[in-house]
Amino acid sequence: DKWKKYALECFEKEKKLTSSRSHRLLILETEIDTLTSKANNAVIDFDKAINAARESEHIHEEAFANERAGDFCLSQGDIRASQYYGQAYRLYLQWGARGKAALLKRDYSV
């Protein structure tokens, strides 16, 4: 469908721009795997993206990766969703995105 095609295009562009396994590439790769039913290691892959974003000090992208990991876990009935949402909430606040943090708090009771 249209979304999958767009995601794959973004992924291919990022791969060309990135010489290493950047956190952005890891996030995109994991998202594509979840879209194409290759989600066996999605939580592990989200954790890799989270760690890479933290190491490169991109707090907003670390927050985003935590939020997406929470979304994935929630969709799978995995209780770890609350941990990821809680971490995303704290990181968004730390970054200064109070509105985004408030949405997480409202929607997921973090």
Side-chain angles (χ1 to χ4, degrees):
D1 75 348
K2 184 178 174 181
W3 166 242
K4 286 181 185 179
K5 182 180 176 187
Y6 180 71
L8 290 171
E9 289 171 3
C10 289
F11 178 66
E12 290 303 320
K13 285 179 187 177
E14 185 66 28
K15 277 178 29 179
K16 290 177 185 175
L17 295 172
T18 307
S19 60
S20 65
R21 305 267 305 155
S22 79
H23 60 281
R24 290 180 186 142
L25 187 59
L26 290 166
I27 292 169
L28 283 171
E29 192 171 51
T30 305
E31 291 288 356
I32 288 169
D33 285 348
T34 62
L35 287 172
T36 58
S37 301
K38 298 177 186 173
N40 296 345
N41 296 318
V43 173
I44 292 167
D45 293 340
F46 274 121
D47 285 340
K48 288 177 186 176
I50 290 164
N51 290 330
R54 183 180 311 119
E55 288 172 10
S56 60
E57 299 179 355
H58 288 92
I59 191 168
H60 59 296
E61 292 176 354
E62 182 184 353
F64 175 74
N66 270 284
E67 182 180 0
R68 294 302 298 142
D71 290 343
F72 177 76
C73 287
L74 185 63
S75 75
Q76 302 299 304
D78 187 327
I79 62 171
R80 292 177 285 185
S82 63
Q83 295 169 327
Y84 286 111
Y85 286 134
Q87 186 62 14
Y89 173 79
R90 288 184 287 282
L91 289 164
Y92 281 130
L93 283 178
Q94 188 178 344
W95 186 47
R98 288 175 177 71
K100 180 61 176 173
L103 287 174
L104 283 178
K105 188 173 186 175
R106 182 195 72 195
D107 294 344
Y108 304 108
S109 302
V110 292

